[in-house]
Amino acid sequence: MRGNVWEWLSDNLNPLSGYQPHFLYEDNSAIFFDTKHHIMLGGCWITNGTEALKYYRNWFRPNFYQHAGFRIVQDQKLPTV
């Protein structure tokens, strides 16, 4: 279903380990590292190019429904050693 809708996550947008802003896009992500923006993964029919990859991360505030869908998941408990 990649490319149909964005996939909402409950996580806030935070930098990935080792994140360094690109000098051409210094204000593109870091200004959204807060508790107001949630992560959306993948891409949807309205995005194009590299933004339609299943690993692409985007962000929006939860009250905006930017062609977002949903997924059904279940937490899996890992065995304790």
Side-chain angles (χ1 to χ4, degrees):
M1 291 190 47
R2 180 180 73 210
N4 290 338
V5 293
W6 286 100
E7 180 181 330
W8 276 108
L9 300 181
S10 61
D11 300 337
N12 292 323
L13 179 69
N14 292 306
L16 296 173
S17 178
Y19 169 81
Q20 292 292 320
H22 189 279
F23 72 94
L24 294 177
Y25 298 101
E26 291 181 36
D27 62 347
N28 192 43
S29 295
I31 61 173
F32 301 107
F33 296 154
D34 57 26
T35 59
K36 298 177 184 174
H37 293 85
H38 289 224
I39 297 175
M40 295 192 309
L41 291 181
C44 77
W45 57 269
I46 202 153
T47 54
N48 58 30
T50 58
E51 295 175 355
L53 297 173
K54 67 180 180 177
Y55 302 110
Y56 186 77
R57 294 181 353 139
N58 202 356
W59 62 91
F60 273 99
R61 291 185 182 199
N63 57 315
F64 289 96
Y65 301 105
Q66 297 292 328
H67 309 291
F70 68 95
R71 65 181 177 159
I72 298 172
V73 298
Q74 178 179 356
D75 285 341
Q76 302 237 340
K77 302 245 185 233
L78 297 175
T80 50
V81 179

